[in-house]
Amino acid sequence: DIVMTQSPDSLAVSLGERATINCKSSQSVLYSSNNKNYLAWYQQKPGQPPKLLIYWASTRESGVPDRFSGSGSGTDFTLTISSLQAEDVAVYYCQQYYSTRALTFGGGTKVEIK
Amino acid sequence: EVQLVESGGGLVQPGGSLKLSCAASGFTFSGSAMHWVRQASGKGLEWVGRIRSKANSYATAYAASVKGRFTISRDDSKNTAYLQMNSLKTEDTAVYYCTRPDMDVWGKGTTVTVSS
């Protein structure tokens, strides 16, 4: 199975500052035939199901604020929150869907306000 | 409105069985694969498995941790997917979610507790 490793496990950022979360896959999730990275990012707040933020590594889901952006390719990916808002406090997960017989998630990164 | 509603969770003893349901509405269920994902309290997300559509022969796939114990099925006439869980272990205790392949819509989850 493809192992997804996120870093850091948690981070505290001041309101209005940038938050950066990293995700590394144990093998490439870039499908050469369509040049797409099969990588998604989710936000989960306490007591709620996950919410899809980003798919294809960098495409924002409809309704997601543009302060959220995804980047990277192959095995290394980043989720950036450009200006942290109070409502962004949550746990963020990356996920690969390259291997459709074994989807895998990263361990999660908890984002808090400093 | 696209909606997924899980049900069937509860308390079961180790070694027991439980069957979860996921009722779907607001989209063409019969043409969509369905996935199950679980989350133990205070832990991360774990993909459990998926079932594809009739056009894809209802093909299933499972996480190694549940293979041979869990079975995913569906009834397209009822717009419902199921997760049959047998030989349950304490480590299967979690909130179980169903979701579509794009994982853009999730249910609120149903809680399974495996304990004596």
Side-chain angles (χ1 to χ4, degrees):
Chain A
D1 292 359
I2 299 175
V3 177
M4 307 300 291
T5 303
Q6 284 183 235
S7 62
D9 292 336
S10 64
L11 75 161
V13 176
S14 299
L15 289 172
E17 295 301 305
R18 178 184 300 260
T20 301
I21 300 168
N22 300 301
C23 175
K24 188 176 184 66
S25 58
S26 61
Q27 65 186 74
S28 176
V29 298
L30 173 62
Y31 194 40
S32 57
S33 65
N34 59 9
N35 202 37
K36 286 184 179 292
N37 287 284
Y38 284 58
L39 189 285
W41 288 97
Y42 299 85
Q43 175 193 66
Q44 188 178 33
K45 297 180 180 180
Q48 296 184 17
K51 174 187 175 183
L52 177 65
L53 296 177
I54 303 278
Y55 56 95
W56 300 133
S58 61
T59 302
R60 259 189 313 274
E61 173 71 342
S62 176
V64 172
D66 61 6
R67 64 180 180 273
F68 291 93
S69 64
S71 63
S73 185
T75 61
D76 292 279
F77 301 90
T78 300
L79 175 70
T80 301
I81 309 173
S82 61
S83 176
L84 191 74
Q85 305 299 303
E87 60 265 32
D88 300 335
V89 170
V91 179
Y92 293 84
Y93 296 93
C94 61
Q95 178 226 11
Q96 65 79 20
Y97 47 102
Y98 181 91
S99 173
T100 60
R101 292 191 60 81
L103 306 183
T104 46
F105 292 88
T109 296
K110 186 175 185 179
V111 174
E112 300 173 307
I113 305 295
K114 185 186 292 182
Chain B
E1 178 194 7
V2 176
Q3 197 169 14
L4 298 170
V5 179
E6 303 91 343
S7 62
L11 174 64
V12 61
Q13 292 189 336
S17 298
L18 206 58
K19 187 173 185 177
L20 308 183
S21 299
C22 168
S25 59
F27 66 101
T28 306
F29 178 82
S30 61
S32 178
M34 293 299 296
H35 293 252
W36 287 92
V37 175
R38 68 184 181 181
Q39 185 171 37
S41 181
K43 302 298 184 182
L45 301 168
E46 181 186 17
W47 177 78
V48 172
R50 58 88 169 139
I51 184 167
R52 286 184 163 162
S53 64
K54 181 179 181 180
N56 291 290
S57 305
Y58 299 127
T60 54
Y62 301 93
S65 58
V66 307
K67 197 169 186 178
R69 300 188 298 121
F70 289 13
T71 301
I72 299 174
S73 61
R74 62 191 296 159
D75 184 339
D76 291 343
S77 69
K78 295 182 179 180
N79 284 355
T80 300
Y82 303 98
L83 178 63
Q84 175 69 48
M85 303 184 294
N86 299 330
S87 303
L88 282 161
K89 306 175 181 180
T90 55
E91 52 263 42
D92 295 320
T93 295
V95 176
Y96 284 74
Y97 298 101
C98 63
T99 182
R100 305 197 297 180
D102 290 345
M103 299 201 175
D104 56 340
V105 178
W106 296 65
K108 293 183 178 181
T110 188
T111 300
V112 172
T113 303
V114 184
S115 174
S116 54

